[in-house]
Amino acid sequence: MLQSLSCRCGRLAISRPISSGGIVKNIIRSNSNKTEKDNSTGSSPPIDENGLYYGKFTKEEYDSAAKFVKEQYGRLEQDIKGDFNIRENLGKVPQFPQRDAKGSTKVKDLTDLFAQTIKTTGPISLSAYIRQCLTHPEFGYYTTRDPIDTRSGDFITSPEISSIFGEMIGIWLFTVWQSQNSPSNIKIIEFGPGRGTLMHDVLSSFNKFIFKSRKSVKIQINLIEASKVLRLEQWKTLCGEKNSFNTTEEGFNSSKTIWHNDIKWLDTEKDVSNEPGVANYVLAHEFFDALPIKSFQRAEEGWREFLVEHTPSVVNTQPKLASSPSEREPQDIDHELLETEFHLTLSKKETPSSLIPNLNTRFKDQPVGSRIEVCSEAELYIMKMLQLLDNSKGLGAVLVIDYGLADQVPENSLRGIYKHKFVSPFIIPGEVDLSVDVDFGNLVQLASKHCSVYGPIEQGDWLHNIGIGYRVDQLIKQNEGNSEKQEKVYNSYRRLTDKDERSMGKIYKFLGLLPNDSQPPIGFNESL
């Protein structure tokens, strides 16, 4: 994946190039630094003793990428020059934001923002649309509400169904910790912690086993959460109101959990410190599915990007309703909510982002008409998580739990969910939850170069391997005589592990990333 083009402002910058993007990165740097003298003398890139350009690329790889970059420079130069005198449009360009009758320029909501933006600059990228819908500071879905509130939220997640889910992850974490010689200083980091329910159940189980082990362990908790609304919910869930909600000198919120663990809230992944001698254990549950994507279709001339256009009364049928994940569980489809002012349109020309599928070998054999979704930010986040592993000492682990495809490239999975119903992802921007299928194949491809990879494995299989059946049987026996409680436990177990269309056991996948040469962790290929 072309990393240098897929990075976004405020996101993690990884120094190691990804795939063939590194070739282009070096070529662009080389071209930008050349002088007239260099061109006249025909200077060439550095070649090492093995005949590799920049010490990494074969001559064939370099020549191919160099040709591609040269063509892109030519197209860019032509686009900059244009076909007409730009001064002809002076006084004709619409003002942004538009003024109303009273002269005000206030934008009321995201629908207003997108409409004015598109009228001014033309169609916007799908990734920009998704990012604003979910994280806009004033109108974003996640920044202005609790999306999994049991009364007003649009969906529920596995931890909200039963505490057994988090207990099983706590057991997995404890066994991994034991297999790494029980490090005395650890940090548990969660990306996208929701209301804190999963972390609560994980810590409840993990701390219990640590106590029984009679080992002295310093446990730090880091939650990466930008939403002030959710931070307060997490504090209530994990700390209780007796432990104060503080602000550190660096500006981060902090407190103590009810198990006396230090806890800190961080704004972004860049705030996570990688401290020497500390084993980092990372959890990412339903995190990658909410990251912005770009969508492309292969035309005769090459890959073309789907952009978001503003057109009143467009009926959008983008969501893959038949294969959508059941845990979001909308009851039916409201066709009136498929009518929207926005829709996707296919760019007639190459966009800068067209470089992304062009330079990824996973897509080179896709036939004309193929459609793909690419999440560049997922690559940056998985690389950050991998940086938290200590391969030299064999410490740390990453556990990714999400729904998506194990060995296929997502094609058209962007969906909207509003009041437990499937809707167009372009209806009421900022009021609708947006999600996509996670490309596990891409995550595995990237991670396998840096660590030991286990999975992805279906959730139902993973939970059974851990021992959820024994735990459910224990709870049912403990509640003998309380048929209502027994039925609730059993139904929750079936919901988490069954593989029918209404359950989570198949659509959800578990992916484990551990330091190189680690012993296989439980859950992925063996039972507890």
Side-chain angles (χ1 to χ4, degrees):
M1 193 66 63
L2 181 58
Q3 177 178 330
S4 59
L5 292 181
S6 61
C7 291
R8 291 291 179 269
C9 181
R11 294 294 180 187
L12 171 70
I14 306 295
S15 60
R16 181 182 179 90
I18 298 174
S19 187
S20 55
I23 309 176
V24 174
K25 189 174 182 180
N26 283 302
I27 293 172
I28 292 175
R29 185 184 296 116
S30 175
N31 276 278
S32 63
N33 291 335
K34 280 186 177 182
T35 63
E36 294 297 325
K37 182 178 180 180
D38 292 331
N39 291 328
S40 62
T41 57
S43 63
S44 59
I47 304 174
D48 68 6
E49 64 275 7
N50 297 316
L52 297 178
Y53 286 64
Y54 295 102
K56 298 180 181 181
F57 314 115
T58 65
K59 184 178 186 303
E60 182 180 1
E61 290 174 332
Y62 179 84
D63 288 344
S64 175
K67 179 181 177 182
F68 187 84
V69 170
K70 185 176 180 180
E71 292 174 352
Q72 293 300 312
Y73 270 122
R75 292 195 183 103
L76 180 60
E77 183 179 16
Q78 182 58 43
D79 288 343
I80 292 173
K81 290 180 178 178
D83 300 322
F84 59 89
N85 188 337
I86 193 171
R87 292 180 176 81
E88 295 176 5
N89 283 334
L90 288 177
K92 301 177 183 178
V93 178
Q95 181 183 9
F96 177 80
Q98 295 175 345
R99 295 180 181 273
D100 59 21
K102 297 181 180 180
S104 172
T105 58
K106 183 175 178 59
V107 175
K108 301 186 297 295
D109 51 34
L110 283 181
T111 297
D112 192 19
L113 174 66
F114 289 139
Q116 292 194 39
T117 301
I118 293 171
K119 288 178 182 177
T120 305
T121 66
I124 61 175
S125 70
L126 181 58
S127 59
Y129 174 86
I130 295 173
R131 183 179 295 105
Q132 293 298 320
C133 285
L134 298 181
T135 61
H136 188 281
E138 293 182 49
F139 310 121
Y141 184 80
Y142 288 121
T143 52
T144 58
R145 76 203 69 216
D146 179 357
I148 50 180
D149 184 270
T150 54
R151 295 163 296 180
S152 61
D154 291 310
F155 59 91
I156 58 174
T157 61
S158 296
E160 305 295 328
I161 292 173
S162 173
S163 62
I164 303 175
F165 183 81
E167 287 181 23
M168 296 298 104
I169 295 176
I171 292 172
W172 182 85
L173 184 60
F174 178 76
T175 61
V176 171
W177 172 79
Q178 276 189 319
S179 72
Q180 297 178 349
N181 297 318
S182 307
S184 60
N185 198 347
I186 72 172
K187 186 183 296 182
I188 303 175
I189 305 159
E190 185 172 8
F191 284 68
R195 300 182 68 195
T197 306
L198 175 62
M199 183 60 78
H200 176 279
D201 298 337
V202 169
L203 290 179
S204 177
S205 175
F206 183 75
N207 276 291
K208 185 185 300 182
F209 283 108
I210 291 291
F211 178 78
K212 290 182 178 180
S213 73
R214 299 184 180 277
K215 292 184 179 293
S216 176
V217 185
K218 180 182 179 181
I219 303 173
Q220 304 174 64
I221 312 300
N222 280 182
L223 300 183
I224 301 175
E225 179 61 69
S227 169
K228 295 180 180 179
V229 175
L230 288 177
R231 281 191 181 191
L232 289 175
E233 289 297 323
Q234 294 154 10
W235 168 65
K236 293 175 184 177
T237 300
L238 296 170
C239 305
E241 297 187 6
K242 291 183 179 179
N243 292 314
S244 59
F245 189 64
N246 306 313
T247 302
T248 67
E249 292 181 358
E250 299 89 352
F252 302 122
N253 296 127
S254 65
S255 188
K256 285 273 189 182
T257 71
I258 55 179
W259 303 276
H260 309 294
N261 312 129
D262 289 329
I263 183 170
K264 183 187 291 185
W265 283 265
L266 307 175
D267 297 321
T268 74
E269 76 288 345
K270 294 184 292 185
D271 299 320
V272 179
S273 59
N274 199 357
E275 304 168 32
V278 177
N280 298 308
Y281 298 102
V282 179
L283 301 177
H285 177 258
E286 286 201 58
F287 172 75
F288 285 95
D289 72 284
L291 296 178
I293 61 164
K294 287 183 177 290
S295 182
F296 302 91
Q297 183 169 302
R298 186 155 205 164
E300 291 286 353
E301 303 81 7
W303 288 103
R304 295 294 182 264
E305 182 180 4
F306 279 101
L307 304 174
V308 178
E309 180 63 280
H310 175 246
T311 304
S313 305
V314 170
V315 177
N316 185 281
T317 56
Q318 170 150 341
K320 296 199 303 182
L321 302 176
S323 60
S324 52
S326 60
E327 75 283 352
R328 302 280 177 165
E329 206 173 59
Q331 299 302 311
D332 54 13
I333 305 169
D334 191 331
H335 292 283
E336 290 185 3
L337 290 178
L338 290 177
E339 297 182 4
T340 168
E341 293 186 15
F342 304 97
H343 71 288
L344 287 179
T345 182
L346 190 64
S347 175
K348 295 181 180 179
K349 297 182 179 181
E350 280 189 331
T351 61
S353 295
S354 297
L355 284 166
I356 297 173
N358 274 326
L359 292 172
N360 194 314
T361 56
R362 297 179 73 215
F363 310 135
K364 68 177 182 179
D365 296 325
Q366 295 280 355
V368 172
S370 297
R371 185 169 176 176
I372 60 172
E373 291 174 344
V374 178
C375 184
S376 299
E377 291 190 20
E379 299 183 357
L380 302 181
Y381 277 113
I382 203 70
M383 293 302 292
K384 173 60 179 180
M385 294 175 186
L386 293 173
Q387 288 178 352
L388 295 172
L389 299 179
D390 189 340
N391 276 311
S392 63
K393 297 180 180 179
L395 296 177
V398 176
L399 187 64
V400 176
I401 311 112
D402 229 312
Y403 56 85
L405 306 172
D407 53 9
Q408 293 176 265
V409 178
E411 298 176 355
N412 181 28
S413 69
L414 178 62
R415 58 184 72 87
I417 301 161
Y418 180 66
K419 296 183 178 179
H420 301 279
K421 293 182 180 181
F422 284 120
V423 299
S424 165
F426 303 104
I427 192 77
I428 327 176
E431 300 293 322
V432 174
D433 176 40
L434 303 179
S435 66
V436 296
D437 287 348
V438 175
D439 187 354
F440 279 100
N442 191 38
L443 299 184
V444 169
Q445 184 182 61
L446 290 169
S448 60
K449 302 174 184 178
H450 306 280
C451 68
S452 295
V453 178
Y454 300 94
I457 182 174
E458 292 177 357
Q459 175 171 297
D461 296 334
W462 191 90
L463 290 173
H464 280 127
N465 289 343
I466 290 288
I468 191 173
Y470 298 106
R471 178 58 173 155
V472 169
D473 184 60
Q474 181 185 54
L475 290 173
I476 289 177
K477 289 178 179 178
Q478 287 178 1
N479 288 278
E480 191 172 349
N482 188 341
S483 58
E484 183 178 347
K485 180 67 173 178
Q486 288 180 323
E487 185 176 1
K488 182 179 180 180
V489 170
Y490 181 71
N491 288 341
S492 296
Y493 157 72
R494 294 291 301 272
R495 179 95 176 277
L496 290 171
T497 60
D498 280 2
K499 299 187 178 183
D500 56 42
E501 293 183 355
R502 306 296 292 178
S503 303
M504 304 181 182
K506 184 177 180 65
I507 187 66
Y508 268 101
K509 309 292 189 303
F510 275 66
L511 177 66
L513 310 176
L514 278 78
N516 286 323
D517 303 320
S518 296
Q519 65 184 59
I522 63 169
F524 290 94
N525 57 6
E526 61 179 71
S527 300
L528 182 63

